[in-house]
Amino acid sequence: MAELSETYACMPSTERGRGVLISGDPKSNNILYSNGRSVMILNLDNPLQVSVYGEHGYQATVARYSPNGERIASADVSGTVRIWGTRNDFVLKKEFRVLSGRIDDLQWSPDGMRIVASGDGKGKSFVRAFILSYAGSCLRFCLIVRCKNLGCLVTYIPCFSIANPSLPSAIFQNMLEMVISFSPVVYAIDLICIKTNGSICHLMDRTNSRWDSGTNVGEFDGHSRRVLSSFKGRLRSWDDIPKVLMVDPMGHSNFVNCVRFSPDGSKFITVSSDKKGIIYDGKTGEKIGELSQEEAHKGSIYAVSWSPDSKEVLTVSADKSAKIWEIGEDGNGKMKRTLTCPGSGGVDDMLVGCLWHNDHLVTVSLGGTINLFSASDPDKRPVSLSGHMKCITSLTVLQLDRKIILSSSYEGLILKWIRGIGYSGKLERKENTQIKCLAAVEGEIVTSAFDNKIWRVSLQGDQCGEAACVDIGSQPKDLNIALSSPELALIAFDSGVVLLNGTKVLSTINLRFPITASAISPDGSEAIIGGEDGKLHVYSIAGDTLTEEAVLEKHRGAITVIRYSPDVSMFASADVNREAVLWDRASREIKLKNMLYHTARINCLAWSPDNSMVATGSLDTCVLIYEVDKPASNRITIKGAHLGGVYGLAFVDDQSVVSSGEDACVRVWKLSPQN
């Protein structure tokens, strides 16, 4: 069997000009964020303690803990909200199709009975509140509306009930909707409960005492009376609903990026691309103060978070700084401290997300780096966590120190991981080109991408040194290094191979058949080339020439990966038709067959250092481990190893395998071979 030992988490998905939403667990130091279709649960005290929820069918955008910490609500770009438990394998409680477009933000009411979601309704509904329990409550909530051409407005609803037991029961089937329809997109939302029992007001027509003629329950479009609205930093109001909406000039002159109520509900704050933060009274919605313009942010403010005691706020900005503000009795904010995050000072160091969670001050950069400051000791150097944000394309373990793991993603990011520690740094290259294949030997890494070039980069500790490249004239499809003679490399392209000595091309050989995979023996004396027809061509290498020695036929689909065993007595191959085959090198006979337990193409393959096991990773999200001396049916199966598919595999030691995949995570699995 296999047990998950460590997870090196992916980082939050970021987008320039848009804030990142992260939330905290009220019962622990866990935080939530999204990346692709995954919702990540990361423990701030132990970053290797990571859980992943991957049941969304589309890209997840936001996730929030319920007030009691027992449930999580997450949303995606399709407008779907899923409610799931934090225990028992994240059992799904409810699923709602809330909007017809992307959901940008959602919030729980403090009693955990209601959720309000906002986003792009594609011309229909832009905000909906749905009910999980029928007990009446009155809420105050605030939402931000982003308009492409007209700027932003902030709408504040000081007292609003979304439960009325007197209404027909059919209306309350599974979901009670409060729909506010705008012409722009509702970008962010926050709410707070001010009463947990009884209803104060309902969305009723004042003159007829009935539900309005809107097409949905509580809908604001389709009214028969005049609707008044104003943009550019002003509240919007409607004339034909109860007097629960307030109109008050807003002080922002640009997009409002985030709104948050204080934990005690007495105030709420908005921050904007105009570099300002404005504080409002939580009961009346009236403006009561601003963040001081002295030592203010010099760039757009993307996110804000309150301290647990409601006396301070944390803001982050495009100026690459985070600031702690003390909110006085008069409602104005005085800058208390500036937090400087480590980095190179480039665009990727812009800060786009933050969270004040217990004693942790969390900031997120555009490049995906999470910095953890101590609220009780802000001068203490922050802990930096980083990871991939895109699919990991290559994974390797250094031969002389197998605790060191290198991973690369296609955008050119190479990360170093140390088993038992986790993130150990980025390998910054002077030429930050894309990466398709990565190979590593002591003191050097070799990469290929989509630009016909092969790069050799020297390693100097945790940094990259001098780099040299060679243009092979064709786009590389596979890259292999002769481990005993690392200067020798075999590069496969569409219809041939290139032999390299360092950055010198020894020969370019046209093999006259479509090539899909390749491998070279550690001593550089033999190469195996896999074709689209499923055949394995074995060549001997002498100088700069290849001589075909044999053609092996067993596969029924294009070859995807070939690997020699560490002692070079065997090799393994796999194909798109989900089959892996283990071969004896000397006799070229099949050593282990019927390795047909994947349900989709096999993407990667790895040998254990003692040559006793072979691991395969597939598009079906699973990793299978076979023991060489036992039947293929006696395998170890890791189901759902990586959402979207497994693309990288390597053995750390004889009993541990590391994997990576489309979910941008790296995982270490501890193996216990079956008897």
Side-chain angles (χ1 to χ4, degrees):
M1 60 177 294
E3 180 182 356
L4 181 61
S5 175
E6 299 173 9
T7 298
Y8 310 142
C10 62
M11 293 294 102
S13 296
T14 61
E15 179 182 341
R16 191 168 181 177
R18 180 188 289 271
V20 170
L21 300 176
I22 53 179
S23 67
D25 183 355
K27 291 184 176 181
S28 69
N29 281 327
N30 289 342
I31 63 170
L32 288 174
Y33 58 85
S34 61
N35 180 296
R37 293 192 292 128
S38 302
V39 175
M40 309 299 298
I41 305 175
L42 176 69
N43 186 280
L44 299 179
D45 299 324
N46 179 13
L48 298 183
Q49 184 179 326
V50 180
S51 299
V52 182
Y53 180 78
E55 298 302 319
H56 278 280
Y58 298 86
Q59 178 186 344
T61 55
V62 58
R64 305 260 183 214
Y65 276 100
S66 64
N68 62 8
E70 296 297 323
R71 292 174 292 176
I72 293 172
S74 56
D76 58 36
V77 296
S78 72
T80 300
V81 174
R82 295 174 68 90
I83 315 295
W84 40 283
T86 57
R87 300 185 180 89
N88 300 325
D89 297 324
F90 308 137
V91 175
L92 180 67
K93 308 295 184 182
K94 283 281 187 177
E95 183 178 60
F96 301 105
R97 181 64 184 273
V98 179
L99 299 178
S100 56
R102 173 192 176 107
I103 293 178
D104 285 313
D105 201 357
L106 63 81
Q107 294 287 348
W108 292 80
S109 63
D111 58 5
M113 297 178 181
R114 297 155 188 80
I115 293 175
V116 178
S118 64
D120 184 0
K122 295 184 178 179
K124 297 179 181 179
S125 307
F126 291 86
V127 179
R128 283 192 176 182
F130 50 96
I131 190 166
L132 306 178
S133 173
Y134 299 139
S137 292
C138 280
L139 310 176
R140 298 197 305 267
F141 63 97
C142 201
L143 49 94
I144 293 173
V145 183
R146 172 167 285 191
C147 183
K148 293 180 180 178
N149 301 317
L150 299 175
C152 276
L153 59 91
V154 177
T155 299
Y156 174 63
I157 305 179
C159 184
F160 191 92
S161 174
I162 52 175
N164 184 0
S166 65
L167 295 177
S169 60
I171 296 178
F172 284 95
Q173 291 182 359
N174 299 325
M175 182 173 176
L176 178 62
E177 301 178 354
M178 183 280 295
V179 184
I180 304 176
S181 297
F182 297 104
S183 55
V185 175
V186 178
Y187 187 65
I189 194 165
D190 202 11
L191 74 159
I192 189 164
C193 181
I194 59 173
K195 188 175 181 180
T196 57
N197 294 303
S199 299
I200 294 180
C201 55
H202 308 288
L203 281 178
M204 307 281 289
D205 187 292
R206 283 182 292 178
T207 56
N208 298 325
S209 296
R210 59 178 175 81
W211 283 89
D212 194 272
S213 58
T215 56
N216 289 299
V217 176
E219 189 168 348
F220 279 73
D221 54 9
H223 290 281
S224 58
R225 290 198 171 92
R226 180 174 62 92
V227 176
L228 173 66
S229 65
S230 63
F231 291 86
K232 283 291 185 183
R234 286 183 176 268
L235 293 175
R236 167 173 286 194
S237 69
W238 293 266
D239 283 350
D240 57 344
I241 61 173
K243 295 180 179 179
V244 296
L245 302 179
M246 297 194 61
V247 181
D248 192 30
M250 296 285 103
H252 290 298
S253 59
N254 208 330
F255 287 137
V256 182
N257 294 314
C258 189
V259 56
R260 291 292 176 261
F261 270 101
S262 61
D264 63 7
S266 63
K267 298 177 286 291
F268 67 90
I269 184 172
T270 59
V271 293
S272 166
S273 294
D274 62 8
K275 311 171 190 177
K276 294 170 63 177
I278 301 178
I279 298 99
Y280 303 90
D281 184 274
K283 295 181 180 179
T284 65
E286 296 178 352
K287 176 181 173 181
I288 59 175
E290 294 188 14
L291 300 183
S292 173
Q293 291 302 298
E294 297 180 6
E295 301 182 271
H297 283 293
K298 298 179 181 179
S300 298
I301 305 176
Y302 287 120
V304 61
S305 183
W306 287 87
S307 64
D309 61 5
S310 302
K311 294 180 180 179
E312 296 175 310
V313 295
L314 172 69
T315 58
V316 292
S317 167
D319 64 9
K320 309 177 184 66
S321 72
K323 294 181 183 291
I324 300 174
W325 305 83
E326 184 176 0
I327 309 301
E329 295 295 330
D330 59 355
N332 289 305
K334 180 181 179 182
M335 208 280 288
K336 184 178 178 181
R337 189 180 301 271
T338 297
L339 305 176
T340 303
C341 299
S344 62
V347 172
D348 281 348
D349 292 325
M350 290 182 177
L351 299 182
V352 293
C354 69
L355 177 68
W356 193 317
H357 188 53
N358 300 327
D359 190 50
H360 294 283
L361 303 177
V362 184
T363 67
V364 182
S365 71
L366 183 63
T369 299
I370 295 177
N371 286 294
L372 307 178
F373 293 86
S374 171
S376 58
D377 186 10
D379 292 328
K380 183 179 178 181
R381 182 176 177 81
V383 175
S384 295
L385 306 175
S386 192
H388 293 284
M389 293 190 292
K390 304 292 184 182
C391 173
I392 299 175
T393 56
S394 296
L395 184 74
T396 187
V397 173
L398 297 187
Q399 297 299 310
L400 294 183
D401 188 354
R402 302 191 72 89
K403 288 186 177 181
I404 297 179
I405 304 163
L406 299 181
S407 60
S408 65
S409 48
Y410 81 91
E411 77 267 32
L413 180 64
I414 303 176
L415 296 182
K416 177 181 177 182
W417 312 91
I418 298 178
R419 186 181 177 188
I421 297 175
Y423 173 71
S424 181
K426 297 180 182 179
L427 299 183
E428 302 282 356
R429 298 172 297 151
K430 294 181 180 178
E431 299 290 337
N432 193 31
T433 56
Q434 292 180 330
I435 295 177
K436 181 180 179 182
C437 300
L438 169 72
V441 292
E442 300 310 314
E444 187 179 52
I445 58 174
V446 185
T447 66
S448 67
F450 305 94
D451 56 0
N452 302 349
K453 293 181 180 179
I454 305 298
W455 286 87
R456 285 184 176 266
V457 184
S458 63
L459 288 179
Q460 299 172 353
D462 291 337
Q463 300 299 322
C464 292
E466 295 299 319
C469 72
V470 57
D471 192 327
I472 65 171
S474 299
Q475 182 176 313
K477 300 197 76 172
D478 204 354
L479 180 155
N480 298 274
I481 303 295
L483 296 179
S484 301
S485 304
E487 287 295 309
L488 182 62
L490 177 73
I491 314 299
F493 59 90
D494 281 338
S495 60
V497 295
V498 176
L499 284 173
L500 295 179
N501 186 3
T503 55
K504 179 183 177 181
V505 177
L506 295 178
S507 61
T508 300
I509 304 167
N510 190 346
L511 299 178
R512 302 181 184 279
F513 63 87
I515 294 174
T516 54
S518 63
I520 188 170
S521 63
D523 61 4
S525 63
E526 185 180 80
I528 304 174
I529 311 298
E532 199 172 80
D533 57 1
K535 296 179 180 179
L536 295 172
H537 300 257
V538 182
Y539 295 88
S540 61
I541 301 175
D544 59 356
T545 62
L546 269 65
T547 303
E548 186 172 272
E549 301 291 342
V551 178
L552 308 179
E553 299 185 36
K554 175 64 173 70
H555 291 281
R556 296 169 293 174
I559 307 299
T560 55
V561 60
I562 308 167
R563 291 290 182 268
Y564 280 95
S565 63
D567 65 0
V568 204
S569 65
M570 299 171 284
F571 62 88
S573 55
D575 62 35
V576 298
N577 200 35
R578 68 187 181 85
E579 183 177 15
V581 180
L582 190 61
W583 305 83
D584 182 83
R585 184 191 177 195
S587 65
R588 294 174 183 146
E589 297 292 331
I590 296 175
K591 190 175 180 68
L592 183 62
K593 58 183 179 180
N594 297 326
M595 301 165 69
L596 276 161
Y597 293 95
H598 284 293
T599 58
R601 63 170 286 156
I602 297 174
N603 295 320
C604 49
L605 183 153
W607 284 87
S608 64
D610 64 359
N611 310 288
S612 66
M613 289 185 286
V614 175
T616 58
S618 169
L619 189 64
D620 64 7
T621 75
C622 297
V623 173
L624 300 182
I625 299 95
Y626 300 94
E627 294 185 66
V628 173
D629 297 330
K630 295 182 180 180
S633 58
N634 192 38
R635 66 198 179 280
I636 299 172
T637 302
I638 304 173
K639 295 183 178 180
H642 294 276
L643 182 67
V646 182
Y647 288 89
L649 275 177
F651 274 84
V652 180
D653 56 39
D654 293 336
Q655 300 299 326
S656 300
V657 65
V658 59
S659 63
S660 62
E662 187 176 310
D663 60 3
C665 293
V666 177
R667 290 190 173 93
V668 180
W669 308 88
K670 187 69 175 178
L671 305 179
S672 300
Q674 302 181 49
N675 297 324

